[in-house]
Amino acid sequence: MYRSGTVMAWNVFRFCAALRGLGSIMILLVLGVVGVTYYAVVITIYCPTIYNGGLQEAAIALSVVILFHFLLIMLLWSYFSVVLTDPGTVPPNWRPSMDEERAEVIPLKKSEYGSPILTLQQSGPLSDSVNPRYRYCRKCNQLKPPRCHHCSVCGRCVLKMDHHCVWVVNCVGALNYKFFLLFLLYTFLETTLVTLSLLPQFIGFFNDGELPGSPGTLATTFLAFVLNMAFAVSVLGFLIMHISLVSGNTTTIEAYEKKTTPKWRYDLGRRKNFEQVFGTDRAYWFIPKYSEEDLRRMPALQGLDYPSKPDLDAQEL
């Protein structure tokens, strides 16, 4: 039995190590797709049309090129913001906020699920246990703030962890979840634009008419169309799923964990749930950045403290 457990742990370790090793490969793959697409759309088709086509054709081509570059800049800005932003690390020696004069820390016990929990107890005449209960990570050997989970790939606890994404070579958590959502949005818009822009050339492959360009250029155009159409369809599914998660103020992990929970303590209504991720300053909603005012007055954007419904505060964090 011990040997079986050791083999399973070793397999999980090798799997996590393999995911970490994919890092630079996935970034190069993303940049490779961008490069192929740029060559097919801008260099091969629409820039030549601007210089050689008629007035109407040139105007349409110029509009496509401008919109393509705008979406590409936003896509890459959002992408590298996710890649380079720490999703949220538990501060050293973090402890839950409490009234030190009226509460004391009880030694860690085991919950019904086998995970140690920390319980706060009122001191004084009425000595009753008080929720919430704070979880303890045995791997990191530290307390876990609300909505925090341990990532086996990163080897640490991540604040409001959603999932570990191999495409961004990083965890998606409290501090970069907005950037990840914007990356999905701009990827969908960009790949949809490219798919529609290359559709006439793609249809031309199956017609009898001749298409201008060398075989290599035509092959690149065909590849760019197929890749962008595939990304547009797949990213749309992820985008719809995450829009649903944001509207309920939950994460992918929490959505799985609270299947049996009829009410969710952090669901404050769609608008407030949206602001918990994107902030309140509309000027910053669609760029991978927060305003200083939002960062100062919204603790949820820092990943350690979240407002919740008072009548559901007894739920385990």
Side-chain angles (χ1 to χ4, degrees), residues 158-277:
V158 176
L159 301 179
K160 195 185 175 185
M161 178 180 173
D162 187 88
H163 69 289
H164 185 93
C165 181
V166 295
W167 286 98
V168 301
V169 203
N170 198 1
C171 261
V172 177
L175 306 187
N176 64 355
Y177 185 47
K178 171 189 172 181
F179 308 157
F180 176 76
L181 295 177
L182 291 177
F183 168 59
L184 292 182
L185 173 64
Y186 289 120
T187 298
F188 171 70
L189 295 177
E190 177 79 331
T191 53
T192 300
L193 173 66
V194 172
T195 301
L196 295 177
S197 300
L198 297 181
L199 184 59
Q201 284 70 29
F202 180 78
I203 295 175
F205 281 110
F206 303 98
N207 293 335
D208 296 333
E210 294 186 1
L211 292 174
S214 64
T217 299
L218 297 178
T220 302
T221 303
F222 184 88
L223 177 62
F225 176 85
V226 172
L227 287 175
N228 280 271
M229 182 175 64
F231 275 110
V233 173
S234 60
V235 169
L236 177 61
F238 282 109
L239 191 58
I240 293 174
M241 182 190 76
H242 281 283
I243 289 174
S244 175
L245 293 176
V246 171
S247 67
N249 199 1
T250 185
T251 64
T252 302
I253 294 176
E254 291 169 345
Y256 175 79
E257 289 182 343
K258 71 181 184 71
K259 284 182 179 179
T260 58
T261 304
K263 295 182 179 180
W264 180 234
R265 61 176 300 191
Y266 298 110
D267 187 357
L268 307 176
R270 291 184 179 180
R271 181 175 179 82
K272 290 186 177 180
N273 293 343
F274 178 86
E275 292 174 349
Q276 291 293 305
V277 177

Side-chain angles (χ1 to χ4, degrees), residues 54-75:
L55 182 61
Q56 184 176 0
E57 292 178 341
I60 295 175
L62 181 61
S63 300
V64 171
V65 170
I66 292 175
L67 182 58
F68 176 90
H69 280 90
F70 170 76
L71 293 176
L72 180 61
I73 290 172
M74 299 306 298
L75 186 160

